[in-house]
Amino acid sequence: MYRALLELGPSTGYAVARAAGYARTNAYAALEGLLRRGAAQRASGRPARYRATDPQSLLLQLSGEQGERLERLARAVAGLHKPIEPVTRVVEGSRAIGNVIQQLVARAAQRVDGVVAAELWAPTLPAWRHAARRAKVQVRISGDTADPEGLATGQIAPGTPTTLVVDDQFTLAATGAGPSMTALWSSHPLVVLLARTNLGEPA
């Protein structure tokens, strides 16, 4: 439904239903769902006309909402001390990897060490600013990108894989670029130890 609305431009519910191949009742229910999620707007007047939210704006909005939900979840489980099994996951695509870095780095309490690709630096800059206020940040940028605030400790040759260790509890390693970028993040102590060893630092 969102795609049909995006392609049509401002349209009536009837026009969107025809373009999307929906029954009118189902189309209006779907449009109401898009309105609730901020994916569409409805203009006043009769008949009402709907238009799709700009895709980039929608992505930023959804990313922000997801970040807020994750922050609430983090606060909810912060006081739980029951032993938890280590987790290791694969993440694909620079946007998704950037989101994981944001969450890991922003919650750093002691230190963040490693290397981060230039492609991932700018999108995650707010998290680095937040981390630098309460943790020691020792990270180099792989490739050329602006660092006007001097948060990084230097730059190294492009192509050096991203490897981050956060509070000696989490690690993330990534290679590739853009949609083909792939990362592994883990809370397993052995994986964290291997990452720190790879960075040439003592455990």
Side-chain angles (χ1 to χ4, degrees), residues 73-122:
L73 177 61
R75 288 194 293 269
V77 302
L80 302 178
H81 300 290
K82 183 178 179 180
I84 298 174
E85 286 295 316
V87 176
T88 299
R89 295 283 186 271
V90 173
V91 185
E92 297 183 350
S94 59
R95 187 184 298 274
I97 294 167
N99 287 340
V100 173
I101 291 176
Q102 288 257 52
Q103 297 302 317
L104 291 177
V105 170
R107 286 199 283 271
Q110 298 173 341
R111 58 185 296 173
V112 185
D113 303 291
V115 175
V116 61
E119 179 181 358
L120 297 169
W121 179 253

Side-chain angles (χ1 to χ4, degrees), residues 15-67:
V16 179
R18 287 188 61 185
Y22 277 48
R24 289 183 66 180
T25 303
N26 293 341
Y28 281 105
L31 285 168
E32 287 299 321
L34 291 178
L35 290 171
R36 286 194 300 272
R37 292 174 174 82
Q41 289 87 44
R42 178 171 51 206
S44 58
R46 289 186 176 277
R49 300 179 74 84
Y50 301 83
R51 67 179 178 85
T53 300
D54 170 68
Q56 285 300 113
S57 300
L58 181 59
L59 283 173
L60 288 173
Q61 173 191 316
L62 293 175
S63 295
E65 291 173 356
Q66 182 185 40

Side-chain angles (χ1 to χ4, degrees), residues 78-184:
L80 302 178
H81 300 290
K82 183 178 179 180
I84 298 174
E85 286 295 316
V87 176
T88 299
R89 295 283 186 271
V90 173
V91 185
E92 297 183 350
S94 59
R95 187 184 298 274
I97 294 167
N99 287 340
V100 173
I101 291 176
Q102 288 257 52
Q103 297 302 317
L104 291 177
V105 170
R107 286 199 283 271
Q110 298 173 341
R111 58 185 296 173
V112 185
D113 303 291
V115 175
V116 61
E119 179 181 358
L120 297 169
W121 179 253
T124 60
L125 196 51
W128 294 106
R129 291 192 190 107
H130 187 77
R133 289 197 290 267
R134 58 181 182 178
K136 182 177 181 180
V137 175
Q138 293 281 346
V139 64
R140 295 169 292 168
I141 301 172
S142 169
D144 297 320
T145 190
D147 182 26
E149 298 172 50
L151 295 172
T153 58
Q155 294 182 322
I156 57 177
T160 305
T162 293
T163 305
L164 297 173
V165 177
V166 180
D167 288 342
D168 284 325
Q169 294 181 344
F170 303 97
T171 187
L172 180 139
T175 59
S180 63
M181 184 179 287
T182 301
L184 179 86

